Amino acid sequence: MPKPISDPSQLRILIIEDNSDDAFLIANAIRKSYPDAEFLEAPGRSEFESVLASGQHLDIILSDWSLPQFSGLEALARIQTLGITVPFIIVSGKIGEEAAIAAIRQGAYDYVLKDNLGRLSNAISHALLLHESKEKARQDQMRITLQAKALQAASVAIALLDKDKTIEVVNPAFEKLTGYEESEVLGRNATEFCLDPDCLQHAELFADGNSEKDFSSTAVEQKKDGSLYFEERKVCPVTDQDGQINHFVLIKQNITAIEQAREEFALQVSYTAATRQARTPEALCNATISFIREQSEKVHAGICLYTDGTTACKKWYGENMQGIVPDQNNFLHEVNLTDEKIGVLALSFTSPLPYNLNKLFMITAGQFENYLNRLVIQQRTTAQIRHLSFLKLISRTISTVMDFDEVMKPLLVQTKTLLDSDAVALYLFDGQRNSFVCRASEGFRYNLIKNAVIPLGQPNVGLAAEKQQMTIVSNFDNVDPRSQFGNLVEKEEFRSQYCVPIIIGGKSFGVLEIFQRKAFAASQEWLSLFDAIALQMGLALDYNNLYDKLQKAYLDLEDSYEATLEG
């Protein structure tokens, strides 16, 4: 850029003049105002081209109108071709007014006649000032052009609002973010495109024109298609020369991915904390439902639990969402342990949310599945240990020196508890009657079953013994209420009966009978435990029965031996 006229540093001036005397006079006239000026001379085309090729800095070019090899206009055109914007002044002895005007139109800054070189210094000063002004305007325009290109190329949405928040300009990123085309938003108030009508109310903070502070906020916004997203917006006030706000720059950016990641992490941490104290599958279900309800009132949740860890117990926690059809707002996740279905988590969203709901649901569902599997395994392991301990207890308790009634009562109490039953009875085979006689019972409200005798093959105890397989009855509608068994079922309010034969040596030694007053669906684990308890009781009783027989035989043999000696 050329030096301003007030700049004390010397100017470098190129004089294109074939007459050395005229060149001397021109330089002499300039030194009166610019004593430190440095001059370069180009009397012909080759010297002119040489100066241009050297790349030397020039502050101003003075050229004769007519030269032997080329003209001043040709010299002007040449520097314009090379993109040199140095002020160009015609200094000539003879130039018509029309020619001078034509030269100025083509880019010359001024013209000075040689017989009036006293005006040259003023012409140079004016040209330098004019050039400086043009350069500043050119740079301002370049800056505006660059800013416009940057606005168009920006990846964030930008809108220019007037002081009343009316939209004047938007960039392509704004159209992409909101889904609205430029023609749909220009001239409309920016608040029309916010879910919250007061979304830009903070702009009123600048209404007095005394603050230029930017304001940032985060909110949930809605696109033209109705989808929601998290938006980070920034409002920047623009002031005029008097410091009064006349525009706002609104910058909008989609930060849903950031909020999604933050929500996913927070969800994992908070769910772990909310379910930390759950020690049973039922407690986990209740804690999970409470947690989901605390997250959002727009979410409906239900959990169907198929096992409490030891028995089958199909039960809904939260809302009963049976029959829900999975779609973009309804989610189902089946929880399996190996090949066994142990639960179902169902969620339904009553209104759209800006998050990726499927990812959030899968995070909670995945954590719920891991915790439920662990608790069920723990429950079953604990139950198995408890069951094994009870089976060993049976062997240790039933002995030849036992009082049958005194020992069997606590065993049946524990059997009833382990099998989650309401009543239990033990029948042993009486060979003389060819029937099964109730020898012990627990949990019956009435004394109707005491010493009950059921012949082999009769429902349902005798039938289980005859077929040597478990008999299950879950409906007593066909039982005659006038019969002894019908009277028992009606008074005791039983709803189901399970009978398992005690088989020793291929023969039915006895029958263990279970009654339920509540709705009950036996799992495979329950049935296996029921069968194991019956078998263990049978083995213990048979062992003691055999021991009694051996001891009696020994005593008989001893008596015979003594009788023989006496004889």
Side-chain angles (χ1 to χ4, degrees):
M1 178 184 293
K3 311 294 186 300
I5 194 158
S6 58
D7 194 332
S9 62
Q10 64 178 215
L11 297 176
R12 180 172 292 174
I13 302 173
L14 173 61
I15 299 176
I16 306 173
E17 174 61 63
D18 61 328
N19 189 317
S20 59
D21 292 336
D22 288 346
F24 173 79
L25 293 174
I26 293 172
N28 190 56
I30 295 173
R31 284 194 179 97
K32 293 178 181 180
S33 298
Y34 300 96
D36 296 325
E38 179 183 352
F39 297 95
L40 301 176
E41 295 185 12
R45 181 188 292 274
S46 60
E47 290 85 358
F48 173 63
E49 292 290 347
S50 178
V51 172
L52 296 181
S54 68
Q56 297 184 68
H57 171 74
L58 299 174
D59 292 297
I60 199 162
I61 299 175
L62 307 177
S63 176
D64 195 0
W65 174 252
S66 177
L67 297 104
Q69 298 175 341
F70 65 114
S71 67
L73 285 181
E74 289 178 307
L76 176 61
R78 178 59 176 159
I79 65 171
Q80 290 175 340
T81 302
L82 296 176
I84 299 173
T85 59
V86 176
F88 191 94
I89 299 176
I90 301 294
V91 181
S92 177
K94 50 182 180 179
I95 182 173
E97 185 177 349
E98 293 183 2
I101 293 174
I104 292 175
R105 286 177 177 174
Q106 292 187 39
Y109 275 64
D110 202 349
Y111 71 95
V112 176
L113 296 177
K114 290 182 178 179
D115 58 4
N116 192 18
L117 292 179
R119 196 179 74 85
L120 185 56
S121 293
N122 289 334
I124 290 175
S125 176
H126 179 268
L128 291 174
L129 288 174
L130 181 60
H131 178 66
E132 182 179 2
S133 177
K134 285 184 176 181
E135 276 297 300
K136 186 176 183 304
R138 185 181 67 83
Q139 291 183 4
D140 288 344
Q141 183 59 45
M142 183 181 297
R143 189 178 300 107
I144 292 173
T145 302
L146 289 175
Q147 290 173 346
K149 289 183 178 180
L151 179 67
Q152 295 297 308
S155 59
V156 295
I158 301 175
L160 182 62
L161 319 178
D162 67 11
K163 62 181 180 179
D164 297 322
K165 297 189 284 287
T166 300
I167 300 175
E168 295 183 344
V169 177
V170 296
N171 67 341
F174 185 96
E175 297 177 303
K176 182 178 180 181
L177 174 64
T178 63
Y180 290 96
E181 295 182 4
E182 183 182 40
S183 59
E184 296 178 282
V185 299
L186 294 185
R188 296 172 62 180
N189 196 286
T191 57
E192 296 181 37
F193 304 96
C194 299
L195 280 179
D196 180 6
D198 297 328
C199 64
L200 297 178
Q201 192 64 30
H202 49 258
E204 299 299 333
L205 297 173
F206 314 116
D208 58 3
N210 295 324
S211 174
E212 296 184 5
K213 180 181 179 182
D214 297 344
F215 189 93
S216 299
S217 62
T218 300
V220 175
E221 281 301 347
Q222 187 175 44
K223 297 185 178 183
K224 182 180 178 181
D225 61 8
S227 61
L228 301 179
Y229 68 99
F230 282 102
E231 177 182 283
E232 182 181 68
R233 70 170 66 97
K234 185 175 183 180
V235 178
C236 307
V238 181
T239 57
D240 58 20
Q241 294 179 348
D242 298 327
Q244 296 296 313
I245 293 176
N246 55 19
H247 283 88
F248 294 103
V249 176
L250 174 62
I251 303 173
K252 299 155 66 79
Q253 187 172 6
N254 188 338
I255 59 169
T256 302
I258 298 174
E259 292 297 323
Q260 176 80 25
R262 183 181 292 116
E263 181 66 15
E264 290 175 7
F265 177 75
L267 195 65
Q268 294 180 48
V269 173
S270 54
Y271 180 74
T272 300
T275 57
R276 182 181 295 115
Q277 302 301 322
R279 295 292 181 266
T280 64
E282 296 92 337
L284 176 65
C285 292
N286 286 323
T288 300
I289 294 299
S290 298
F291 170 77
I292 293 173
R293 286 173 175 169
E294 289 175 359
Q295 299 306 301
S296 174
E297 60 183 13
K298 299 178 181 179
V299 181
H300 296 278
I303 297 176
C304 185
L305 188 64
Y306 289 88
T307 177
D308 62 3
T310 56
T311 59
C313 60
K314 184 177 180 181
K315 179 181 178 181
W316 278 95
Y317 295 83
E319 301 180 43
N320 189 327
M321 304 181 72
Q322 186 173 359
I324 187 174
V325 179
D327 55 28
Q328 61 180 0
N329 289 323
N330 297 318
F331 301 91
L332 287 175
H333 182 75
E334 186 175 294
V335 180
N336 296 292
L337 181 59
T338 312
D339 295 328
E340 178 189 359
K341 181 179 178 181
I342 63 174
V344 172
L345 173 61
L347 293 183
S348 178
F349 297 86
T350 57
S351 60
L353 296 174
Y355 297 105
N356 183 328
L357 301 181
N358 188 59
K359 289 188 67 176
L360 295 181
F361 171 74
M362 290 309 299
I363 288 174
T364 301
Q367 288 184 285
F368 172 72
E369 180 172 17
N370 290 336
Y371 296 160
L372 182 59
N373 280 337
R374 185 185 64 192
L375 289 175
V376 169
I377 291 173
Q378 288 176 348
Q379 295 288 88
R380 290 181 177 177
T381 301
T382 302
Q384 288 174 359
I385 295 173
R386 186 169 62 249
H387 298 163
L388 290 173
S389 299
F390 179 61
L391 294 177
K392 290 181 179 180
L393 177 65
I394 293 174
S395 300
R396 292 195 302 267
T397 304
I398 301 177
S399 66
T400 56
V401 296
M402 72 177 184
D403 180 288
F404 187 86
D405 294 333
E406 182 179 341
V407 171
M408 290 308 299
K409 181 176 179 60
L411 288 180
L412 291 185
V413 169
Q414 292 191 54
T415 299
K416 184 170 76 72
T417 302
L418 280 177
L419 295 175
D420 189 26
S421 59
D422 294 303
V424 57
L426 174 64
Y427 292 81
L428 296 180
F429 183 69
D430 185 335
Q432 292 182 351
R433 303 185 190 183
N434 196 33
S435 300
F436 290 87
V437 180
C438 181
R439 293 291 306 278
S441 62
E442 179 62 34
F444 292 87
R445 297 170 180 169
Y446 302 94
N447 207 22
L448 300 175
I449 200 171
K450 185 177 181 180
N451 297 322
V453 179
I454 301 177
L456 183 67
Q458 292 299 310
N460 288 304
V461 171
L463 190 62
E466 181 181 57
K467 293 184 176 182
Q468 293 193 348
Q469 65 182 27
M470 187 181 296
T471 300
I472 301 174
V473 179
S474 57
N475 190 329
F476 297 115
D477 292 344
N478 296 326
V479 176
D480 185 357
R482 294 171 297 180
S483 66
Q484 184 178 0
F485 182 64
N487 184 39
L488 173 70
V489 169
E490 182 178 3
K491 283 196 171 185
E492 294 285 352
E493 299 180 340
F494 292 139
R495 299 181 63 177
S496 61
Q497 177 191 28
Y498 297 80
C499 301
V500 61
I502 301 174
I503 303 172
I504 303 296
K507 296 181 180 181
S508 295
F509 179 81
V511 174
L512 187 61
E513 179 185 43
I514 288 289
F515 284 103
Q516 300 284 5
R517 293 189 178 94
K518 57 184 177 295
F520 182 77
S523 65
Q524 188 58 48
E525 290 81 3
W526 188 93
L527 296 173
S528 298
L529 176 62
F530 183 29
D531 191 58
I533 292 174
L535 177 60
Q536 192 66 27
M537 283 186 178
L539 289 173
L541 290 170
D542 181 61
Y543 171 79
N544 290 309
N545 186 41
L546 178 61
Y547 182 83
D548 287 340
K549 289 180 180 180
L550 288 174
Q551 190 172 28
K552 185 176 183 301
Y554 174 76
L555 293 174
D556 290 343
L557 181 61
E558 189 178 57
D559 290 343
S560 298
Y561 177 71
E562 290 178 354
T564 301
L565 290 178
E566 183 179 351

